Amino acid sequence: MTQEELFKKLVAHAKEYGFIFPSSEIYDGLSAVYDYGQMGVELKNNIKRYWWDAMTRLHDNIVGIDAAIFMHPKVWEASGHVSAFNDPLIDNKDSKKRYRADVLIEDWLAKQDEKIAREVEKARKRFGESFDEEKYLATSPRVVELAAKRDEVHRRMTEALNANDFTELRQIILDCEIACPISGTRNWTEVRQFNLMFETKVGSVAEGANTIYLRPETAQGIFVNFLNVQKTGRMKLPFGIAQIGKAFRNEIVARQFIFRMREFEQMEMQFFIRPGEEMKWYEYWKTFRMKWHRALGFGDDNYRFHDHEKLAHYANAAADIEYNFPFGFKEVEGIHSRTDFDLGQHQKFSGRKMQYFDAETGESYVPYVVETSIGVDRMVLQVLSAAYTEERLENGEERVVMRFPAALAPVKAAVLPLVKKDGLPELAREIIAGLRLDFNVQYDEKDSIGKRYRRQDAIGTPFCITVDHQSLEDGTVTVRRRDDMEQHRVAATELHSLLERETGFRALFQKLA
Ligand code: ATP
């Protein structure tokens, strides 16, 4: 199965089992907008909880807020979003399709990498055992030529993006002979700037409508509340403010399911520090955030850092944490050293002092900021892709199992009466009544026990608890583990502590300590 097929199956599975639906589906959907179903919302809430507690509860100098989506329009002038939150777009005149110029070039670059990989595979077959990949990459004239051209285009693109040189971006597209995937032609418009912020109006038109924006990031809600929190919480530097909330971006190319959406959720934390200490904290947060990802146990090699070549207007250092998605390594989270840019700008635009009085040094100054910023939905997609597994069982049957870390699983346990009679359903309900006070548990009595197991595997439930006739006699039940399908009998009175131990966040948090 190719990675592309795997991804298609994952998207279908997410829909079939109530994780993610296209928005307004009965009206044929709305591009790049999705709804979370009954399983998706549980998974998403657990991911948010993992982030929130790891950031706020496990750090005694980080607190949370929940700011409004609407903000004073001047916020976005100060932050630079009105003038600089743009993507370079280009249209194909024949298909009338719109693209991001940099994405067209990046796709071309990826194709060159695929060509090189194919050459390497051919050579590996030709040379057999004695094949030396490193040497081949360095000496094969065709590969060397491909790689040189790719590197040259990559360099040109980075420079053009940094300089906002749209003529050059268009020229690269022409030089690489990039054609529109729909029309197949190279009939391109000029490259233009496209602002990603959604606008709306407040107030009735008669009163004179005021344009405001749907926030494109949650961070600004933290910056404008910096002094409120610092003063009322009597916070001392270094300290952080965390927030989870919706953000909106009018993305030109929306694709890869919930990877790039127009309405999405972010989990951001701004860490306020003394100027000059930003590199120390930048390294700290890079390390901590990577640990948070790897603690989920999806394989350390599936994560990597990617240092930014093009720094955003506010940053003096920035790196992404990338995950190995079915469509390649892609950004899940960004860690940015934002200097005093944002607070400094708000000080300028609002005319209010955004300074901190440092009792230790006796000085007042605008703090520096290191931020961590992760998309909730992208994290959901990361977890879904990592968890999705197809398995052939010993008896020849197949199962799809979502191998979620138990703490993130939407349902922690299913309680299943073996048959629908003899008092077994009643006993199962009694067990559930005790467990549901602390855990999300499901009752299921329909179909054979095997089918019921499959349904729970498909939504990633870590434990299936079967109630049978012996349960009536000695109060024991069978516990089946999702991953190895091992079964053992335990006393029903033990279930609570078993679920607490195995499905709680404690084990994850211990890894972060
Ligand atoms: P990209 O380069 O993918 O557009 P970005 O660098 O603009 O992302 P940031 O502004 O750093 O992203 O946003 C922080 C995080 O928010 C990203 O790492 C990602 O997880 C998430 N995010 C950003 N844009 C979207 C989107 N359109 N849909 C879903 N998540 C997003």
Side-chain angles (χ1 to χ4, degrees):
M1 187 167 43
T2 64
Q3 289 297 84
E4 206 170 308
E5 285 164 347
L6 174 83
F7 191 59
K8 273 200 184 132
K9 282 188 164 183
L10 174 69
V11 175
H13 187 88
K15 182 169 170 214
E16 189 181 346
Y17 286 92
F19 285 94
I20 294 154
F21 308 124
S23 155
S24 325
E25 198 186 3
I26 58 171
Y27 295 100
D28 297 331
L30 181 64
S31 170
V33 186
Y34 290 90
D35 297 338
Y36 285 81
Q38 65 280 15
M39 288 303 139
V41 69
E42 297 288 342
L43 173 64
K44 192 180 181 195
N45 283 342
N46 291 338
I47 287 173
K48 289 198 261 187
R49 157 114 200 265
Y50 176 42
W51 185 85
W52 186 264
D53 286 354
M55 298 301 275
T56 64
R57 221 177 59 200
L58 298 194
H59 289 93
D60 51 20
N61 54 351
I62 300 183
V63 293
I65 64 162
D66 185 16
I69 287 170
F70 294 146
M71 302 185 74
H72 195 287
K74 275 214 171 144
V75 166
W76 306 110
E77 281 174 42
S79 69
H81 282 80
V82 172
S83 58
F85 195 52
N86 301 312
D87 275 343
L89 71 83
I90 188 165
D91 295 285
N92 182 271
K93 290 183 195 162
D94 299 316
S95 67
K96 309 269 183 271
K97 272 276 173 195
R98 180 160 286 182
Y99 299 92
R100 250 171 76 176
D102 54 332
V103 170
L104 282 178
I105 301 171
E106 269 167 13
D107 286 350
W108 182 89
L109 290 169
K111 274 199 198 117
Q112 309 313 300
D113 286 335
E114 282 163 28
K115 276 189 200 165
I116 294 173
R118 274 202 300 275
E119 291 293 321
V120 170
E121 275 326 295
K122 269 198 278 177
R124 192 190 305 284
K125 284 202 187 110
R126 213 163 53 233
F127 292 107
E129 291 266 299
S130 63
F131 183 60
D132 178 346
E133 184 172 332
E134 221 166 285
K135 189 164 158 209
Y136 182 76
L137 285 174
T139 54
S140 153
R142 167 133 175 91
V143 167
V144 170
E145 190 193 333
L146 279 169
K149 185 145 184 231
R150 177 200 58 193
D151 292 346
E152 169 65 6
V153 168
H154 188 251
R155 186 194 57 75
R156 280 176 67 191
M157 178 184 75
T158 310
E159 277 181 19
L161 286 173
N162 277 330
N164 280 330
D165 184 345
F166 301 135
T167 318
E168 169 68 352
L169 276 179
R170 182 167 190 272
Q171 196 54 49
I172 299 172
I173 290 171
L174 298 180
D175 291 350
C176 294
E177 303 186 341
I178 296 172
C180 164
I182 309 281
S183 66
T185 69
R186 296 185 217 133
N187 194 7
W188 296 110
T189 61
E190 297 303 309
V191 174
R192 299 187 305 284
Q193 286 283 35
F194 178 77
N195 194 288
L196 300 182
M197 285 198 292
F198 282 102
E199 283 177 14
T200 188
K201 308 268 183 231
V202 271
S204 69
V205 177
E207 282 169 15
N210 247 327
T211 300
I212 58 167
Y213 302 99
L214 301 190
R215 65 179 176 196
E217 61 173 26
T218 57
Q220 297 305 324
I222 291 180
F223 289 122
V224 299
N225 278 299
F226 157 70
L227 279 182
N228 282 338
V229 174
Q230 191 268 319
K231 293 207 166 115
T232 56
R234 299 164 14 136
M235 309 297 288
K236 286 206 174 64
L237 249 50
F239 76 92
I241 306 179
Q243 175 171 223
I244 300 178
K246 290 265 184 173
F248 304 82
R249 295 182 187 177
N250 199 358
E251 300 279 1
I252 304 164
V253 263
R255 47 178 194 178
Q256 282 146 343
F257 194 36
I258 56 169
F259 184 83
R260 191 174 296 290
M261 303 155 91
R262 298 211 165 100
E263 171 180 344
F264 58 102
E265 224 171 337
Q266 286 186 315
M267 308 190 276
E268 296 198 293
M269 192 280 302
Q270 267 66 40
F271 201 65
F272 300 93
I273 53 176
R274 276 190 184 153
E277 294 189 348
E278 64 268 26
M279 280 307 138
K280 180 178 98 185
W281 287 109
Y282 175 66
E283 290 306 326
Y284 170 85
W285 284 108
K286 272 177 76 174
T287 309
F288 182 83
R289 295 303 308 152
M290 185 58 106
K291 227 195 229 180
W292 183 91
H293 285 279
R294 287 187 168 153
L296 293 174
F298 291 129
D300 288 2
D301 292 348
N302 285 321
Y303 302 87
R304 69 177 189 200
F305 285 114
H306 171 254
D307 294 315
H308 282 206
E309 288 161 59
K310 184 192 178 195
L311 288 175
H313 57 273
Y314 50 75
N316 72 354
D320 297 334
I321 293 178
E322 295 185 336
Y323 175 74
N324 190 8
F325 284 96
F327 40 85
F329 272 97
K330 287 275 170 347
E331 166 180 351
V332 185
E333 168 156 9
I335 294 114
H336 313 124
S337 172
R338 284 175 88 130
T339 67
D340 58 357
F341 175 82
D342 302 84
L343 290 179
Q345 286 290 99
H346 287 308
Q347 181 164 281
K348 200 154 101 195
F349 278 70
S350 69
R352 307 279 176 92
K353 278 219 154 50
M354 298 298 273
Q355 293 188 340
Y356 171 80
F357 175 71
D358 193 327
E360 259 176 57
T361 62
E363 284 172 296
S364 287
Y365 51 81
V366 177
Y368 269 40
V369 170
V370 172
E371 80 168 358
T372 70
S373 171
I374 171 171
V376 180
D377 314 272
R378 225 174 255 190
M379 187 61 197
V380 170
L381 184 59
Q382 194 261 277
V383 171
L384 285 174
S385 339
Y388 182 88
T389 324
E390 292 181 3
E391 281 178 3
R392 185 172 285 281
L393 306 180
E394 274 170 19
N395 62 7
E397 274 182 39
E398 287 197 10
R399 71 162 183 165
V400 172
V401 51
M402 298 303 284
R403 292 179 175 274
F404 296 129
L408 300 187
V411 178
K412 304 302 180 203
V415 185
L416 319 168
L418 190 62
V419 290
K420 259 191 278 186
K421 53 181 185 186
D422 304 337
L424 299 186
E426 290 75 10
L427 181 54
R429 295 267 186 207
E430 217 176 280
I431 291 174
I432 285 186
L435 295 177
R436 67 154 39 123
L437 300 179
D438 294 294
F439 311 102
N440 190 15
V441 282
Q442 249 189 16
Y443 176 80
D444 190 4
E445 59 173 25
K446 206 167 165 281
D447 301 319
S448 71
I449 199 80
K451 272 198 185 154
R452 283 182 266 169
Y453 285 161
R454 283 304 93 79
R455 277 202 291 271
Q456 296 300 330
D457 288 343
I459 58 169
T461 307
F463 296 101
C464 282
I465 298 162
T466 306
V467 176
D468 57 16
H469 291 92
Q470 190 183 329
S471 313
L472 294 171
E473 285 161 27
D474 64 6
T476 63
V477 293
T478 308
V479 173
R480 169 194 181 266
R481 309 180 75 94
R482 175 195 69 200
D483 291 348
D484 54 15
M485 294 177 289
E486 291 279 313
Q487 305 192 10
H488 56 281
R489 282 201 91 83
V490 302
T493 49
E494 297 285 305
L495 290 171
H496 192 280
S497 59
L498 176 111
L499 292 188
E500 193 162 55
R501 194 172 59 242
E502 302 268 349
T503 71
F505 281 95
R506 185 168 243 274
L508 279 177
F509 291 148
Q510 271 167 344
K511 290 194 203 169
L512 304 180

